[in-house]
Amino acid sequence: MPSPVVGFLLTAQLLALPGVRVSRAVVVMGTQLKIDVIAASRPAALEATEASYQAVLRADALLSTWHASSLDSLNQATVGDTTAISTELLSLLHEVLPWRDSTGGAFEPVSGALADAWDLRGAGRVPSTDQLRRALASTGAEAMEIRDKVAVRQRGGAWLDSGAFGKGAALRMAARALQHEGIQAALLDFGGQVLAVGAPDHAGGWTVAVADPRDRQRSALELLLRDVSASTSAQSERFVTVDGHRYGHILDPHTGRPVSAWGSVTVIAADPMLADILSTALFVMGPEQGLAWANRHPSIGAVFLVSSTAGTRCVTSVGARKFVVPSDSQPAP
């Protein structure tokens, strides 16, 4: 189970522009959230960091599958029983669920049975053919029906996993909190996904490094981001090891098996939740199909880092090219 909030780090630094930069780090939703806020005064910056943090806590109370939440109540409902859905959760699900069709099933939120089959929240295991077949039967739209204001779990073992959209939803709520506080510049780094608001100093945006999937300590390229969110998906950060073999946490909903560790994809979108959803979906699709999908949707950007024995190859969609910082040392597009 993820750790509770264990403390925070807080510093302030005067900037060239009139204002103060405050940084804070907390553990929430099972990962670390780093908040950098630039405001006209220290009290205003402190208030804004707290407001964004509280917004993420509200998202956790709504979407957590690790402790009691609105979503957890739905996931624990008796099979066949009708379960009322809160207005806030229902509104969110009405946004989330259509993306399973828009991505050809590469994004599938009702996939908790597959995570259980592989024991991704525990020590890990390789399911038998029969176990995988049963898990697949408890995956998808037929396993959990969402109607108007109610839901019905139709299959035993079925549950809706917020892992592919929860952090994005939380960052969206944080962005609204920062807007309410009148913050013009902030950067939130949330375990593989960032939210860039405005720009520090006189810069055109926040410069964010994307890690090389072969070596996460090495930067493969940099992005210049302003008023967008960028979410990266790969198999190199979260995985389980069974009998000496490593299995990534991103599963293909069509086969029920882990997607091959081909590299990483970073999706850039104005809506943090959409960036979160699509980074998972495009990773499942793979670099060729994912690039084709992204090019058909130029309002979002996608950067594919494809690993091979020859190195890392960078491929960008039409919508991503404006965000990539040119550098001779980066992989060629």
Side-chain angles (χ1 to χ4, degrees):
M1 182 173 179
S3 302
V5 175
V6 295
F8 59 87
L9 305 174
L10 193 61
T11 60
Q13 177 184 355
L14 290 177
L15 303 179
L17 290 178
V20 174
R21 178 170 179 166
V22 167
S23 300
R24 182 177 181 179
V26 294
V27 176
V28 62
M29 295 181 79
T31 191
Q32 182 172 252
L33 169 65
K34 298 178 183 178
I35 307 170
D36 274 290
V37 170
I38 299 173
S41 67
R42 179 179 173 83
L46 290 172
E47 187 172 344
T49 60
E50 180 64 18
S52 58
Y53 171 50
Q54 290 299 323
V56 173
L57 287 180
R58 289 195 298 275
D60 190 37
L62 184 69
L63 296 172
S64 177
T65 55
W66 292 91
H67 57 73
S69 69
S70 297
L71 182 59
D72 187 60
S73 297
L74 171 59
N75 285 335
Q76 297 297 325
T78 302
V79 174
D81 282 0
T82 298
T83 305
I85 306 176
S86 70
T87 301
E88 189 174 18
L89 179 58
L90 182 65
S91 175
L92 200 61
L93 293 181
H94 279 325
E95 285 189 73
V96 167
L97 294 175
W99 286 103
R100 65 160 46 117
D101 294 329
S102 299
T103 61
F107 168 72
E108 176 49 68
V110 185
S111 58
L114 293 176
D116 288 342
W118 288 88
D119 192 24
L120 295 182
R121 296 185 172 203
R125 64 168 167 263
V126 178
S128 67
T129 301
D130 189 53
Q131 289 172 328
L132 195 58
R133 178 187 58 79
R134 290 199 301 269
L136 283 168
S138 294
T139 298
E142 294 183 358
M144 181 178 289
E145 184 179 356
I146 309 292
R147 311 170 187 161
D148 297 330
K149 298 182 180 180
V150 299
V152 181
R153 289 179 71 227
Q154 302 284 18
R155 308 282 173 81
W159 56 278
L160 198 154
D161 189 354
S162 60
F165 67 90
K167 286 193 297 185
L171 286 176
R172 179 205 278 182
M173 293 171 70
R176 291 171 178 168
L178 291 170
Q179 183 180 28
H180 179 75
E181 295 292 328
I183 296 302
Q184 300 300 311
L187 181 70
L188 277 64
D189 183 348
F190 201 8
Q193 182 167 3
V194 298
L195 169 69
V197 177
D201 299 335
H202 298 286
W206 294 88
T207 301
V208 176
V210 179
D212 188 323
R214 298 174 305 158
D215 179 4
R216 293 186 55 80
Q217 302 305 311
R218 175 181 175 273
S219 171
L221 77 156
E222 291 181 338
L223 303 174
L224 188 64
L225 307 176
R226 183 178 186 134
D227 298 325
V228 293
S229 181
S231 175
T232 298
S233 290
Q235 295 286 40
S236 55
E237 184 176 354
R238 293 174 54 198
F239 53 86
V240 293
T241 302
V242 183
D243 296 331
H245 296 281
R246 194 163 82 170
Y247 300 93
H249 75 289
I250 301 177
L251 306 175
D252 186 336
H254 302 102
T255 65
R257 299 184 180 278
V259 179
S260 64
W262 55 261
S264 72
V265 59
T266 299
V267 171
I268 307 152
D271 179 3
M273 190 170 76
L274 182 56
D276 196 4
I277 289 171
L278 291 180
S279 68
T280 299
L282 298 190
F283 188 83
V284 170
M285 291 181 194
E288 293 184 6
Q289 184 183 351
L291 178 64
W293 192 98
N295 282 335
R296 292 195 298 271
H297 300 80
S299 62
I300 66 105
V303 178
F304 299 84
L305 294 176
V306 185
S307 300
S308 69
T309 54
T312 298
R313 180 169 56 94
C314 177
V315 182
T316 58
S317 73
V318 171
R321 292 170 189 166
K322 62 185 177 182
F323 298 106
V324 177
V325 178
S327 172
D328 293 339
S329 63
Q330 291 172 6

